[in-house]
Amino acid sequence: MKQWLTLALRNVRRNGRRSLLLGGTIGVGTLALLLFVAYIAASLDGLRESTIRSGLGHAQLAGAGQFDGYAEQQLQYGLDRPALAQLETLLAQEPQVRRVVPRLLFAGLVSNGARTLNFEGSGVMPDRERQAFGAFQTLSAGVPLNAKPAGRYQVLIGKEMARRLSVKPGDSITLMTTTVSGSVNAMDLEVAGLVATGVPQTDLYLLQMPLETAQELLRTTKVSSVAVLYQDTAQADAVSARLRAAMNGAHVELRTWPALAPLYSQVLALYRNQFLVFGVVICIIVFLGVAAMTLTTIYERGREIGTMRAMGIGHAQVRRLFVMEGMLQGVFGACAGALLAFGAILLINAAHIELAPPPGRNAGVLLQMLWVPLYSSAIICALPLVAMLAAWLISRRIGRMPIMSSLSIQ
């Protein structure tokens, strides 16, 4: 086997121009696939982290029935203070839990006196909310919510809501909503700052206020849910399973972020289908390139093949030689393509290229590439196999070539 591999390597070096062309075809295919995978991986990673850290968390906990959406009254399945304290004590025992963020979700009307809009509000603990999810909320004007008594009656609103209401930080607005008992309550609040999420539709309805103020407005002591942020997203499933086991018997339900954000799984399926189609096309191009080059090589090296067979070397061994040559060219081309792809990824990430805003957003997205060792290794190994398959199939012609005819080829 070693001598055949050495002979195959000599043939590859001897036919340098042909080997360079074939290796270049495989290298370009490898480069294209690796860049495509790196882009998909970065896009999915960015979508996952933005979904988790924009306010959803790795998981959310609430009273049984809260996530079904069939509440007959406000906060029917909310967590009261004793239940919340018990839940926080349980979460504190899990070392992978990084942040615990209680929230009170409600909706109502917001007015500046002349105009009234709908809002989707949340009562939050300002310090916890900012530590957990502040990186994905850009404060375009004003100041953040203050956890001190001075900021008790302040509110953050979306940039688009502020534009439509013609208000700015320091102005007053009036909120009106339904309390847990079914009555209507209103409250005047000061606009502390404006939030820009990059999604105009979200900025139109977004409103945040201190949790105590929201509870005062709704006349309750409950919270709607608790968002939990873990130390590591890769351990999210295992941590959620441990928390479910620890809460066994309690009237609390845990929902993981994929269940709360089905869009991610849909985008993941879309990208998988795109990669499958793109990968098949690249493999077909590589297969045809290797097949055409191998077929040309067989006829150009007819006398060499005839001489080998006249010396008693069977056509199966000659085919093995061509397969080894295809393997070597595939390995060289795939490795060269991988090096180019890795360098291109580093350059693209360093260039800080900003893409146009995707649909539904008004802020550009930074072009990023993510090298995934597992998928990259699979691609680098797969393309030489495609080259070997093409060489093996086409080299069957060797068995049909009469020895004398091969020797007579000029």
Side-chain angles (χ1 to χ4, degrees), residues 213-250:
T213 309
Q215 290 174 332
E216 179 183 344
L217 178 61
L218 272 69
R219 295 176 182 170
T220 184
T221 58
K222 294 183 177 181
V223 297
S224 303
S225 61
V226 177
V228 183
L229 200 62
Y230 301 151
Q231 297 284 0
D232 185 9
T233 302
Q235 301 294 325
D237 292 339
V239 177
S240 296
R242 289 199 297 269
L243 291 178
R244 280 197 182 98
M247 294 185 301
N248 189 21

PDB file of all heavy atoms in Angstrom, residues 213-250:
ATOM      1  N   THR A 213     -43.932  50.002  41.262  1.00  0.00           N
ATOM      2  CA  THR A 213     -44.879  50.950  40.666  1.00  0.00           C
ATOM      3  C   THR A 213     -45.936  50.218  39.850  1.00  0.00           C
ATOM      4  O   THR A 213     -47.129  50.558  39.892  1.00  0.00           O
ATOM      5  CB  THR A 213     -44.130  51.951  39.772  1.00  0.00           C
ATOM      6  OG1 THR A 213     -43.042  52.512  40.500  1.00  0.00           O
ATOM      7  CG2 THR A 213     -45.050  53.061  39.307  1.00  0.00           C
ATOM      8  N   ALA A 214     -45.509  49.206  39.103  1.00  0.00           N
ATOM      9  CA  ALA A 214     -46.466  48.424  38.325  1.00  0.00           C
ATOM     10  C   ALA A 214     -47.434  47.681  39.240  1.00  0.00           C
ATOM     11  O   ALA A 214     -48.642  47.596  38.948  1.00  0.00           O
ATOM     12  CB  ALA A 214     -45.716  47.436  37.438  1.00  0.00           C
ATOM     13  N   GLN A 215     -46.929  47.151  40.350  1.00  0.00           N
ATOM     14  CA  GLN A 215     -47.814  46.476  41.301  1.00  0.00           C
ATOM     15  C   GLN A 215     -48.792  47.456  41.931  1.00  0.00           C
ATOM     16  O   GLN A 215     -49.965  47.124  42.160  1.00  0.00           O
ATOM     17  CB  GLN A 215     -46.980  45.783  42.377  1.00  0.00           C
ATOM     18  CG  GLN A 215     -46.198  44.578  41.860  1.00  0.00           C
ATOM     19  CD  GLN A 215     -45.280  43.994  42.897  1.00  0.00           C
ATOM     20  OE1 GLN A 215     -44.809  44.691  43.806  1.00  0.00           O
ATOM     21  NE2 GLN A 215     -44.982  42.699  42.771  1.00  0.00           N
ATOM     22  N   GLU A 216     -48.347  48.669  42.177  1.00  0.00           N
ATOM     23  CA  GLU A 216     -49.242  49.692  42.707  1.00  0.00           C
ATOM     24  C   GLU A 216     -50.317  50.047  41.694  1.00  0.00           C
ATOM     25  O   GLU A 216     -51.488  50.231  42.041  1.00  0.00           O
ATOM     26  CB  GLU A 216     -48.432  50.928  43.087  1.00  0.00           C
ATOM     27  CG  GLU A 216     -49.273  52.070  43.644  1.00  0.00           C
ATOM     28  CD  GLU A 216     -48.441  53.305  43.950  1.00  0.00           C
ATOM     29  OE1 GLU A 216     -47.194  53.199  44.022  1.00  0.00           O
ATOM     30  OE2 GLU A 216     -49.039  54.404  44.096  1.00  0.00           O
ATOM     31  N   LEU A 217     -49.933  50.127  40.416  1.00  0.00           N
ATOM     32  CA  LEU A 217     -50.890  50.467  39.369  1.00  0.00           C
ATOM     33  C   LEU A 217     -51.948  49.374  39.221  1.00  0.00           C
ATOM     34  O   LEU A 217     -53.137  49.654  39.034  1.00  0.00           O
ATOM     35  CB  LEU A 217     -50.158  50.681  38.045  1.00  0.00           C
ATOM     36  CG  LEU A 217     -51.004  51.007  36.813  1.00  0.00           C
ATOM     37  CD1 LEU A 217     -51.781  52.314  37.002  1.00  0.00           C
ATOM     38  CD2 LEU A 217     -50.120  51.095  35.572  1.00  0.00           C
ATOM     39  N   LEU A 218     -51.521  48.106  39.303  1.00  0.00           N
ATOM     40  CA  LEU A 218     -52.456  46.989  39.140  1.00  0.00           C
ATOM     41  C   LEU A 218     -53.063  46.547  40.469  1.00  0.00           C
ATOM     42  O   LEU A 218     -53.893  45.632  40.489  1.00  0.00           O
ATOM     43  CB  LEU A 218     -51.748  45.793  38.491  1.00  0.00           C
ATOM     44  CG  LEU A 218     -51.741  45.755  36.963  1.00  0.00           C
ATOM     45  CD1 LEU A 218     -50.871  46.864  36.374  1.00  0.00           C
ATOM     46  CD2 LEU A 218     -51.276  44.404  36.451  1.00  0.00           C
ATOM     47  N   ARG A 219     -52.622  47.160  41.570  1.00  0.00           N
ATOM     48  CA  ARG A 219     -53.132  46.857  42.908  1.00  0.00           C
ATOM     49  C   ARG A 219     -52.968  45.369  43.224  1.00  0.00           C
ATOM     50  O   ARG A 219     -53.922  44.644  43.469  1.00  0.00           O
ATOM     51  CB  ARG A 219     -54.594  47.274  43.043  1.00  0.00           C
ATOM     52  CG  ARG A 219     -54.794  48.782  42.924  1.00  0.00           C
ATOM     53  CD  ARG A 219     -56.229  49.173  42.960  1.00  0.00           C
ATOM     54  NE  ARG A 219     -56.394  50.622  42.799  1.00  0.00           N
ATOM     55  CZ  ARG A 219     -57.578  51.220  42.606  1.00  0.00           C
ATOM     56  NH1 ARG A 219     -58.672  50.493  42.541  1.00  0.00           N
ATOM     57  NH2 ARG A 219     -57.632  52.522  42.459  1.00  0.00           N
ATOM     58  N   THR A 220     -51.702  44.935  43.199  1.00  0.00           N
ATOM     59  CA  THR A 220     -51.378  43.550  43.454  1.00  0.00           C
ATOM     60  C   THR A 220     -49.985  43.456  44.054  1.00  0.00           C
ATOM     61  O   THR A 220     -49.223  44.437  44.040  1.00  0.00           O
ATOM     62  CB  THR A 220     -51.432  42.727  42.155  1.00  0.00           C
ATOM     63  OG1 THR A 220     -51.197  41.351  42.448  1.00  0.00           O
ATOM     64  CG2 THR A 220     -50.382  43.200  41.166  1.00  0.00           C
ATOM     65  N   THR A 221     -49.652  42.285  44.568  1.00  0.00           N
ATOM     66  CA  THR A 221     -48.294  42.013  45.040  1.00  0.00           C
ATOM     67  C   THR A 221     -47.663  40.877  44.238  1.00  0.00           C
ATOM     68  O   THR A 221     -46.580  40.394  44.605  1.00  0.00           O
ATOM     69  CB  THR A 221     -48.304  41.632  46.533  1.00  0.00           C
ATOM     70  OG1 THR A 221     -49.136  40.479  46.723  1.00  0.00           O
ATOM     71  CG2 THR A 221     -48.823  42.792  47.386  1.00  0.00           C
ATOM     72  N   LYS A 222     -48.313  40.443  43.183  1.00  0.00           N
ATOM     73  CA  LYS A 222     -47.842  39.310  42.388  1.00  0.00           C
ATOM     74  C   LYS A 222     -46.910  39.754  41.264  1.00  0.00           C
ATOM     75  O   LYS A 222     -46.847  40.942  40.917  1.00  0.00           O
ATOM     76  CB  LYS A 222     -49.031  38.557  41.785  1.00  0.00           C
ATOM     77  CG  LYS A 222     -49.921  37.861  42.798  1.00  0.00           C
ATOM     78  CD  LYS A 222     -51.023  37.094  42.080  1.00  0.00           C
ATOM     79  CE  LYS A 222     -51.889  36.314  43.054  1.00  0.00           C
ATOM     80  NZ  LYS A 222     -52.946  35.536  42.353  1.00  0.00           N
ATOM     81  N   VAL A 223     -46.214  38.766  40.696  1.00  0.00           N
ATOM     82  CA  VAL A 223     -45.458  38.971  39.460  1.00  0.00           C
ATOM     83  C   VAL A 223     -45.960  37.946  38.446  1.00  0.00           C
ATOM     84  O   VAL A 223     -46.491  36.892  38.811  1.00  0.00           O
ATOM     85  CB  VAL A 223     -43.938  38.801  39.677  1.00  0.00           C
ATOM     86  CG1 VAL A 223     -43.409  39.845  40.635  1.00  0.00           C
ATOM     87  CG2 VAL A 223     -43.608  37.398  40.160  1.00  0.00           C
ATOM     88  N   SER A 224     -45.790  38.269  37.156  1.00  0.00           N
ATOM     89  CA  SER A 224     -46.277  37.372  36.107  1.00  0.00           C
ATOM     90  C   SER A 224     -45.373  36.166  35.935  1.00  0.00           C
ATOM     91  O   SER A 224     -45.837  35.024  35.829  1.00  0.00           O
ATOM     92  CB  SER A 224     -46.378  38.128  34.775  1.00  0.00           C
ATOM     93  OG  SER A 224     -47.208  39.246  34.880  1.00  0.00           O
ATOM     94  N   SER A 225     -44.069  36.405  35.879  1.00  0.00           N
ATOM     95  CA  SER A 225     -43.121  35.324  35.599  1.00  0.00           C
ATOM     96  C   SER A 225     -41.746  35.734  36.094  1.00  0.00           C
ATOM     97  O   SER A 225     -41.514  36.886  36.480  1.00  0.00           O
ATOM     98  CB  SER A 225     -43.083  35.005  34.106  1.00  0.00           C
ATOM     99  OG  SER A 225     -42.669  36.155  33.372  1.00  0.00           O
ATOM    100  N   VAL A 226     -40.830  34.768  36.044  1.00  0.00           N
ATOM    101  CA  VAL A 226     -39.446  35.015  36.429  1.00  0.00           C
ATOM    102  C   VAL A 226     -38.560  34.536  35.292  1.00  0.00           C
ATOM    103  O   VAL A 226     -38.588  33.351  34.923  1.00  0.00           O
ATOM    104  CB  VAL A 226     -39.080  34.268  37.732  1.00  0.00           C
ATOM    105  CG1 VAL A 226     -37.610  34.475  38.072  1.00  0.00           C
ATOM    106  CG2 VAL A 226     -39.962  34.731  38.880  1.00  0.00           C
ATOM    107  N   ALA A 227     -37.782  35.446  34.703  1.00  0.00           N
ATOM    108  CA  ALA A 227     -36.820  35.078  33.666  1.00  0.00           C
ATOM    109  C   ALA A 227     -35.517  34.668  34.329  1.00  0.00           C
ATOM    110  O   ALA A 227     -35.051  35.322  35.268  1.00  0.00           O
ATOM    111  CB  ALA A 227     -36.598  36.253  32.714  1.00  0.00           C
ATOM    112  N   VAL A 228     -34.932  33.575  33.832  1.00  0.00           N
ATOM    113  CA  VAL A 228     -33.707  33.038  34.421  1.00  0.00           C
ATOM    114  C   VAL A 228     -32.622  33.004  33.357  1.00  0.00           C
ATOM    115  O   VAL A 228     -32.850  32.516  32.239  1.00  0.00           O
ATOM    116  CB  VAL A 228     -33.927  31.617  34.976  1.00  0.00           C
ATOM    117  CG1 VAL A 228     -32.659  31.113  35.661  1.00  0.00           C
ATOM    118  CG2 VAL A 228     -35.094  31.600  35.946  1.00  0.00           C
ATOM    119  N   LEU A 229     -31.471  33.526  33.703  1.00  0.00           N
ATOM    120  CA  LEU A 229     -30.326  33.540  32.796  1.00  0.00           C
ATOM    121  C   LEU A 229     -29.258  32.620  33.361  1.00  0.00           C
ATOM    122  O   LEU A 229     -28.865  32.746  34.525  1.00  0.00           O
ATOM    123  CB  LEU A 229     -29.780  34.968  32.664  1.00  0.00           C
ATOM    124  CG  LEU A 229     -28.912  35.294  31.440  1.00  0.00           C
ATOM    125  CD1 LEU A 229     -29.701  35.123  30.158  1.00  0.00           C
ATOM    126  CD2 LEU A 229     -28.376  36.718  31.538  1.00  0.00           C
ATOM    127  N   TYR A 230     -28.785  31.662  32.544  1.00  0.00           N
ATOM    128  CA  TYR A 230     -27.787  30.699  32.985  1.00  0.00           C
ATOM    129  C   TYR A 230     -26.374  31.200  32.686  1.00  0.00           C
ATOM    130  O   TYR A 230     -26.175  32.161  31.948  1.00  0.00           O
ATOM    131  CB  TYR A 230     -27.987  29.349  32.307  1.00  0.00           C
ATOM    132  CG  TYR A 230     -29.338  28.713  32.556  1.00  0.00           C
ATOM    133  CD1 TYR A 230     -29.916  27.862  31.606  1.00  0.00           C
ATOM    134  CD2 TYR A 230     -30.036  28.951  33.740  1.00  0.00           C
ATOM    135  CE1 TYR A 230     -31.153  27.273  31.833  1.00  0.00           C
ATOM    136  CE2 TYR A 230     -31.262  28.367  33.974  1.00  0.00           C
ATOM    137  CZ  TYR A 230     -31.826  27.530  33.011  1.00  0.00           C
ATOM    138  OH  TYR A 230     -33.044  26.951  33.239  1.00  0.00           O
ATOM    139  N   GLN A 231     -25.399  30.488  33.236  1.00  0.00           N
ATOM    140  CA  GLN A 231     -24.001  30.824  32.989  1.00  0.00           C
ATOM    141  C   GLN A 231     -23.588  30.498  31.554  1.00  0.00           C
ATOM    142  O   GLN A 231     -22.820  31.223  30.939  1.00  0.00           O
ATOM    143  CB  GLN A 231     -23.101  30.054  33.963  1.00  0.00           C
ATOM    144  CG  GLN A 231     -23.314  30.390  35.426  1.00  0.00           C
ATOM    145  CD  GLN A 231     -22.701  31.718  35.832  1.00  0.00           C
ATOM    146  OE1 GLN A 231     -22.101  32.406  35.022  1.00  0.00           O
ATOM    147  NE2 GLN A 231     -22.857  32.081  37.086  1.00  0.00           N
ATOM    148  N   ASP A 232     -24.091  29.382  31.025  1.00  0.00           N
ATOM    149  CA  ASP A 232     -23.647  28.893  29.726  1.00  0.00           C
ATOM    150  C   ASP A 232     -24.843  28.361  28.954  1.00  0.00           C
ATOM    151  O   ASP A 232     -25.584  27.503  29.460  1.00  0.00           O
ATOM    152  CB  ASP A 232     -22.597  27.789  29.915  1.00  0.00           C
ATOM    153  CG  ASP A 232     -22.004  27.307  28.602  1.00  0.00           C
ATOM    154  OD1 ASP A 232     -22.273  27.949  27.567  1.00  0.00           O
ATOM    155  OD2 ASP A 232     -21.282  26.291  28.609  1.00  0.00           O
ATOM    156  N   THR A 233     -25.023  28.854  27.729  1.00  0.00           N
ATOM    157  CA  THR A 233     -26.141  28.402  26.901  1.00  0.00           C
ATOM    158  C   THR A 233     -26.016  26.929  26.558  1.00  0.00           C
ATOM    159  O   THR A 233     -27.023  26.220  26.431  1.00  0.00           O
ATOM    160  CB  THR A 233     -26.203  29.243  25.609  1.00  0.00           C
ATOM    161  OG1 THR A 233     -26.341  30.629  25.948  1.00  0.00           O
ATOM    162  CG2 THR A 233     -27.389  28.842  24.750  1.00  0.00           C
ATOM    163  N   ALA A 234     -24.787  26.429  26.415  1.00  0.00           N
ATOM    164  CA  ALA A 234     -24.599  25.023  26.060  1.00  0.00           C
ATOM    165  C   ALA A 234     -25.133  24.090  27.142  1.00  0.00           C
ATOM    166  O   ALA A 234     -25.485  22.934  26.858  1.00  0.00           O
ATOM    167  CB  ALA A 234     -23.118  24.742  25.806  1.00  0.00           C
ATOM    168  N   GLN A 235     -25.197  24.551  28.401  1.00  0.00           N
ATOM    169  CA  GLN A 235     -25.682  23.735  29.508  1.00  0.00           C
ATOM    170  C   GLN A 235     -27.154  23.991  29.827  1.00  0.00           C
ATOM    171  O   GLN A 235     -27.657  23.499  30.840  1.00  0.00           O
ATOM    172  CB  GLN A 235     -24.841  24.022  30.766  1.00  0.00           C
ATOM    173  CG  GLN A 235     -23.359  23.760  30.616  1.00  0.00           C
ATOM    174  CD  GLN A 235     -23.058  22.298  30.413  1.00  0.00           C
ATOM    175  OE1 GLN A 235     -23.728  21.439  30.972  1.00  0.00           O
ATOM    176  NE2 GLN A 235     -22.041  22.001  29.601  1.00  0.00           N
ATOM    177  N   ALA A 236     -27.837  24.750  28.965  1.00  0.00           N
ATOM    178  CA  ALA A 236     -29.196  25.188  29.280  1.00  0.00           C
ATOM    179  C   ALA A 236     -30.155  24.023  29.479  1.00  0.00           C
ATOM    180  O   ALA A 236     -30.955  24.011  30.427  1.00  0.00           O
ATOM    181  CB  ALA A 236     -29.712  26.121  28.182  1.00  0.00           C
ATOM    182  N   ASP A 237     -30.097  23.032  28.594  1.00  0.00           N
ATOM    183  CA  ASP A 237     -31.027  21.895  28.707  1.00  0.00           C
ATOM    184  C   ASP A 237     -30.813  21.122  30.000  1.00  0.00           C
ATOM    185  O   ASP A 237     -31.774  20.734  30.678  1.00  0.00           O
ATOM    186  CB  ASP A 237     -30.866  20.968  27.503  1.00  0.00           C
ATOM    187  CG  ASP A 237     -31.336  21.619  26.205  1.00  0.00           C
ATOM    188  OD1 ASP A 237     -32.125  22.572  26.285  1.00  0.00           O
ATOM    189  OD2 ASP A 237     -30.909  21.172  25.125  1.00  0.00           O
ATOM    190  N   ALA A 238     -29.558  20.886  30.350  1.00  0.00           N
ATOM    191  CA  ALA A 238     -29.264  20.140  31.574  1.00  0.00           C
ATOM    192  C   ALA A 238     -29.701  20.918  32.818  1.00  0.00           C
ATOM    193  O   ALA A 238     -30.273  20.339  33.756  1.00  0.00           O
ATOM    194  CB  ALA A 238     -27.772  19.829  31.645  1.00  0.00           C
ATOM    195  N   VAL A 239     -29.455  22.228  32.822  1.00  0.00           N
ATOM    196  CA  VAL A 239     -29.849  23.050  33.978  1.00  0.00           C
ATOM    197  C   VAL A 239     -31.365  23.085  34.100  1.00  0.00           C
ATOM    198  O   VAL A 239     -31.918  22.957  35.201  1.00  0.00           O
ATOM    199  CB  VAL A 239     -29.272  24.467  33.846  1.00  0.00           C
ATOM    200  CG1 VAL A 239     -29.734  25.338  35.012  1.00  0.00           C
ATOM    201  CG2 VAL A 239     -27.750  24.424  33.811  1.00  0.00           C
ATOM    202  N   SER A 240     -32.060  23.239  32.978  1.00  0.00           N
ATOM    203  CA  SER A 240     -33.528  23.265  33.013  1.00  0.00           C
ATOM    204  C   SER A 240     -34.082  21.943  33.534  1.00  0.00           C
ATOM    205  O   SER A 240     -35.071  21.925  34.277  1.00  0.00           O
ATOM    206  CB  SER A 240     -34.075  23.563  31.611  1.00  0.00           C
ATOM    207  OG  SER A 240     -33.686  24.854  31.178  1.00  0.00           O
ATOM    208  N   ALA A 241     -33.465  20.835  33.134  1.00  0.00           N
ATOM    209  CA  ALA A 241     -33.918  19.526  33.619  1.00  0.00           C
ATOM    210  C   ALA A 241     -33.738  19.409  35.133  1.00  0.00           C
ATOM    211  O   ALA A 241     -34.614  18.882  35.837  1.00  0.00           O
ATOM    212  CB  ALA A 241     -33.152  18.417  32.903  1.00  0.00           C
ATOM    213  N   ARG A 242     -32.617  19.904  35.652  1.00  0.00           N
ATOM    214  CA  ARG A 242     -32.394  19.851  37.103  1.00  0.00           C
ATOM    215  C   ARG A 242     -33.399  20.726  37.838  1.00  0.00           C
ATOM    216  O   ARG A 242     -33.903  20.349  38.906  1.00  0.00           O
ATOM    217  CB  ARG A 242     -30.965  20.292  37.429  1.00  0.00           C
ATOM    218  CG  ARG A 242     -29.908  19.290  37.004  1.00  0.00           C
ATOM    219  CD  ARG A 242     -28.590  19.535  37.740  1.00  0.00           C
ATOM    220  NE  ARG A 242     -28.018  20.833  37.431  1.00  0.00           N
ATOM    221  CZ  ARG A 242     -27.148  21.054  36.449  1.00  0.00           C
ATOM    222  NH1 ARG A 242     -26.766  20.047  35.664  1.00  0.00           N
ATOM    223  NH2 ARG A 242     -26.639  22.247  36.248  1.00  0.00           N
ATOM    224  N   LEU A 243     -33.695  21.904  37.285  1.00  0.00           N
ATOM    225  CA  LEU A 243     -34.661  22.791  37.934  1.00  0.00           C
ATOM    226  C   LEU A 243     -36.058  22.180  37.923  1.00  0.00           C
ATOM    227  O   LEU A 243     -36.802  22.295  38.911  1.00  0.00           O
ATOM    228  CB  LEU A 243     -34.671  24.155  37.232  1.00  0.00           C
ATOM    229  CG  LEU A 243     -33.414  25.011  37.401  1.00  0.00           C
ATOM    230  CD1 LEU A 243     -33.527  26.307  36.612  1.00  0.00           C
ATOM    231  CD2 LEU A 243     -33.171  25.322  38.880  1.00  0.00           C
ATOM    232  N   ARG A 244     -36.431  21.524  36.828  1.00  0.00           N
ATOM    233  CA  ARG A 244     -37.740  20.867  36.779  1.00  0.00           C
ATOM    234  C   ARG A 244     -37.833  19.779  37.855  1.00  0.00           C
ATOM    235  O   ARG A 244     -38.864  19.629  38.524  1.00  0.00           O
ATOM    236  CB  ARG A 244     -37.965  20.246  35.401  1.00  0.00           C
ATOM    237  CG  ARG A 244     -38.407  21.229  34.336  1.00  0.00           C
ATOM    238  CD  ARG A 244     -39.000  20.487  33.151  1.00  0.00           C
ATOM    239  NE  ARG A 244     -39.398  21.415  32.091  1.00  0.00           N
ATOM    240  CZ  ARG A 244     -38.667  21.689  31.027  1.00  0.00           C
ATOM    241  NH1 ARG A 244     -37.484  21.097  30.884  1.00  0.00           N
ATOM    242  NH2 ARG A 244     -39.091  22.533  30.114  1.00  0.00           N
ATOM    243  N   ALA A 245     -36.748  19.019  38.002  1.00  0.00           N
ATOM    244  CA  ALA A 245     -36.749  17.965  39.013  1.00  0.00           C
ATOM    245  C   ALA A 245     -36.832  18.554  40.419  1.00  0.00           C
ATOM    246  O   ALA A 245     -37.521  18.020  41.293  1.00  0.00           O
ATOM    247  CB  ALA A 245     -35.487  17.111  38.871  1.00  0.00           C
ATOM    248  N   ALA A 246     -36.159  19.681  40.647  1.00  0.00           N
ATOM    249  CA  ALA A 246     -36.182  20.310  41.968  1.00  0.00           C
ATOM    250  C   ALA A 246     -37.550  20.904  42.288  1.00  0.00           C
ATOM    251  O   ALA A 246     -37.942  20.975  43.460  1.00  0.00           O
ATOM    252  CB  ALA A 246     -35.110  21.393  42.052  1.00  0.00           C
ATOM    253  N   MET A 247     -38.294  21.315  41.261  1.00  0.00           N
ATOM    254  CA  MET A 247     -39.612  21.921  41.476  1.00  0.00           C
ATOM    255  C   MET A 247     -40.737  20.911  41.376  1.00  0.00           C
ATOM    256  O   MET A 247     -41.907  21.288  41.300  1.00  0.00           O
ATOM    257  CB  MET A 247     -39.842  23.035  40.445  1.00  0.00           C
ATOM    258  CG  MET A 247     -38.929  24.219  40.599  1.00  0.00           C
ATOM    259  SD  MET A 247     -39.334  25.550  39.449  1.00  0.00           S
ATOM    260  CE  MET A 247     -39.141  24.722  37.877  1.00  0.00           C
ATOM    261  N   ASN A 248     -40.417  19.645  41.347  1.00  0.00           N
ATOM    262  CA  ASN A 248     -41.430  18.608  41.220  1.00  0.00           C
ATOM    263  C   ASN A 248     -42.432  18.696  42.377  1.00  0.00           C
ATOM    264  O   ASN A 248     -42.053  18.662  43.544  1.00  0.00           O
ATOM    265  CB  ASN A 248     -40.764  17.228  41.215  1.00  0.00           C
ATOM    266  CG  ASN A 248     -41.745  16.125  40.868  1.00  0.00           C
ATOM    267  OD1 ASN A 248     -42.792  16.376  40.269  1.00  0.00           O
ATOM    268  ND2 ASN A 248     -41.401  14.904  41.252  1.00  0.00           N
ATOM    269  N   GLY A 249     -43.697  18.822  42.030  1.00  0.00           N
ATOM    270  CA  GLY A 249     -44.743  18.942  43.043  1.00  0.00           C
ATOM    271  C   GLY A 249     -45.190  20.367  43.273  1.00  0.00           C
ATOM    272  O   GLY A 249     -46.294  20.593  43.787  1.00  0.00           O
ATOM    273  N   ALA A 250     -44.357  21.354  42.931  1.00  0.00           N
ATOM    274  CA  ALA A 250     -44.745  22.757  43.076  1.00  0.00           C
ATOM    275  C   ALA A 250     -45.635  23.173  41.904  1.00  0.00           C
ATOM    276  O   ALA A 250     -45.550  22.628  40.809  1.00  0.00           O
ATOM    277  CB  ALA A 250     -43.502  23.640  43.130  1.00  0.00           C
TER     278      ALA A 250
END
